[in-house]
Amino acid sequence: MATLGARKVPGTGPLDANIVIVGEAPGETEVIQGEPFVGVAGKILSSMMNEVGLLRNDCYLTNVVKYKPAGNKINPLFRDNRMTVPTDKMKECVAELKVEIEAIKPNLVIALGRTAMWALTGRTQTMKHRGSLYVSTLVKDQKVLVTMHPAAVARSWVPWRQIIPADFIKAIEESKFPELYRPPREYVIKPDFDQAIYHLKALENADYLSFDIETRPHKIVCIAFAGSPDFAICIPFTRGFQNYWSLEQELEIWKAINKVLISPAKKVGQNVQYDELYLARFHGVLVQNVWIDTMIAHHELYPETPKGLDFLASLWTKEPYWKDEGKSHNGKIKDADLWTYNCKDAAVTLEIAHELYEEMMEEGRWEQYLATMKFRYPLMTMSLQGVNFDKKMQTTLIHSYQEKIDKLQRGLDSAVGEPVNISSNKQMVKLLYITLNLPVQTGKTNKPTADMNALLSLRRRYKKYKPILDVIITLRKLRKLTEGFLQVETDPLDSRIRCSYNVAGTETWRISSSGSIFGGGTNLQNQPKGADEDGVVRKLFIPDPGYLMGATDLSQAEARVVALLSDDELALHEFESGQIDVHTAFAARLFSMEYEDLLKLKESNPKEYKHKRNLGKMEIGRAHV
Ligand code: URA
């Protein structure tokens, strides 16, 4: 079978265009109409271009490959699986593209997706290089901007529908001139003691100050400061695994760093909480006057998009992707490369911060950003303090639960006649649907499943198998409890449990929590209440002497917001009266019952009442939407 179709789809557009847009290869619609980007991907492309004022008629559109590949598959045009060694046919296509671009001499070429990026720059990872500007390896001195292929939008609307147009805005700017300007940056990376002190002293008077630490577990190995986006200094603490400074020098350096970090300068950082925690825990430094945390500010503006520094830089600056810099083939970093990298992080972060500040002001997000930032300090204190934990009880519980698990497992193995791994879906599917010959239950992907829903449904319907299914279900629960919650690691420092909180951890602005950045710990926001018979997990956390533990919860918060936004006067009245349980009231409406009658069910049939109230609770939002 021929790899490529017979009908050529040539490039189209003005031959003196400032922008050439390069895709991969035409599809069926393009072949029929004899023009690139007129099918589904083309329509998405046009709508994104229109949105930012990048006029299609002003651009020259073409593809790396001018013929439709069989099955729209491009990989047969490469000799290797990684798609880096082209076949002769692909070489011909790329050579033709070169001649095409050289004839037009645009100020900018936009590479849409991996094939175009590879042909124009030799790079292969679109996710890393998207948003970066490069000099082409194919056409001499040609400036290239990489972005995603519009087909990515069809696969995943969020976040690409938002990000590609942002790249097009950059493209419009860059199409005004042919040169590739890199942001000028100067770094000091191996300061001697006098130099370090001199620079730190000067930084005390900076207006804005970006800082960034690099760490090994439990150790800050260097810290970089940038007082402006074009100059940064890295203060190292280690050279290889040796100390960089004498003990006396390091003490002086930390005193100077402390002064800088408590100075009135407006502090800037990416995920500042991480740096603050390290600085506070290991050096007692409490950073003052944090102005912009770029991660939180970006999240405030675009919560559905990634928030790593590399992504932020691709969106807000002209700094090309640098996150692989300094990494050797085995992933180790040389000191000098790490220090440079550290400086670049600090400098780029400051540049991003100014952009984010302006955008937040323009978009009216500043107040909300400040409100989010208020959480930082209490959360840091909570992370540092950790929670008192009953390690003795933990050991006893793990032991007794393990005994229960072993006993049940032995019973299960002997009933089945061979060892059964209840965590293996393959083994469980075999046991349920072949050995026990139960009707096959399928999951979302239509494949046979032995997940908890399948087990519960089988147990309900096939009473004869209830005993064995009960054992499997109990084993699953006990193992989840033991492995997921009881076996949590305490901090070796003081046997307390610590976690890290992230105020930018969810798209809905709920705070997320995870294991401690210092190792061990766990998500402290999801400890099970009654998943086990006696609620044992929560009993492991004990208040410090003189304190009590409590929990607060907003009463029906979402329902109140929904009622307010949808102007539901009846619901608002019910909330205001404070006399009525709104979820029950809504359930009553849902089931055409009188409120009082439904309430009576609470006594006569609590299960039914709970079920109906729950539906009312869930449906209240949906109904208003
Ligand atoms: N996808 C491409 O890469 N090019 C086209 O012309 C159409 C879809």
Side-chain angles (χ1 to χ4, degrees), residues 518-530:
F518 307 118
T522 185
N523 174 358
L524 278 178
Q525 294 186 143
N526 72 340
Q527 296 302 307
K529 215 189 306 185

Side-chain angles (χ1 to χ4, degrees), residues 3 142 165 312 345 353 410 549 561:
T3 324
Q142 178 61 59
L312 267 57
D345 274 9
R410 278 196 301 275
M549 272 186 186
V561 173

Side-chain angles (χ1 to χ4, degrees), residues 357-387:
Y357 175 68
E358 267 177 38
E359 178 105 350
M360 283 192 287
M361 294 309 265
E362 259 171 45
E363 298 291 325
R365 309 290 301 163
W366 181 245
E367 294 302 318
Q368 184 56 40
Y369 164 77
L370 289 181
T372 306
M373 287 293 278
K374 277 200 186 134
F375 282 100
R376 262 185 39 255
Y377 194 76
L379 290 176
M380 179 175 85
T381 315
M382 284 159 65
S383 294
L384 281 173
Q385 276 185 350
V387 184

Side-chain angles (χ1 to χ4, degrees), residues 9 23-27 30 35-39 41-42 62-63 112 149:
V9 179
E24 183 175 88
E30 283 78 18
E35 210 180 300
F37 285 107
V38 287
T62 190
N63 283 301
L112 298 178
H149 193 282

Side-chain angles (χ1 to χ4, degrees), residues 389 391 394 398 481-491 496-498 515 520-524 527 537 540-541:
F389 191 71
K391 230 175 135 52
Q394 178 196 31
I398 291 177
L481 191 76
T482 317
E483 287 158 20
F485 296 102
L486 288 176
Q487 284 173 352
V488 56
E489 259 178 68
T490 52
D491 196 320
R496 290 168 80 88
I497 290 284
R498 293 199 159 74
T522 185
N523 174 358
L524 278 178
Q527 296 302 307
V537 174
L540 292 173
F541 300 94

Side-chain angles (χ1 to χ4, degrees), residues 453-567:
N453 281 342
L455 292 171
L456 290 171
S457 156
L458 290 169
R459 183 179 68 159
R460 237 187 353 262
R461 290 184 311 173
Y462 302 94
K463 298 274 184 281
K464 187 175 138 202
Y465 294 100
K466 190 172 175 292
I468 189 163
L469 292 169
D470 272 343
V471 171
I472 295 169
I473 290 166
T474 314
L475 257 176
R476 281 246 172 108
K477 282 187 181 161
L478 290 179
R479 281 180 67 161
K480 186 170 168 204
L481 191 76
T482 317
E483 287 158 20
F485 296 102
L486 288 176
Q487 284 173 352
V488 56
E489 259 178 68
T490 52
D491 196 320
L493 192 73
D494 52 9
S495 296
R496 290 168 80 88
I497 290 284
R498 293 199 159 74
C499 72
S500 308
Y501 295 99
N502 187 354
V503 287
T506 69
E507 284 176 17
T508 52
W509 278 276
R510 268 186 308 106
I511 293 165
S512 71
S513 121
S514 54
S516 164
I517 58 166
F518 307 118
T522 185
N523 174 358
L524 278 178
Q525 294 186 143
N526 72 340
Q527 296 302 307
K529 215 189 306 185
D532 51 303
E533 315 90 81
D534 352 289
V536 286
V537 174
R538 290 194 178 195
K539 288 190 188 145
L540 292 173
F541 300 94
I542 29 181
D544 284 326
Y547 288 86
L548 282 174
M549 272 186 186
T552 57
D553 195 5
L554 291 169
S555 148
Q556 302 163 335
E558 292 91 345
R560 282 172 205 265
V561 173
V562 171
L564 210 83
L565 291 178
S566 59
D567 272 335

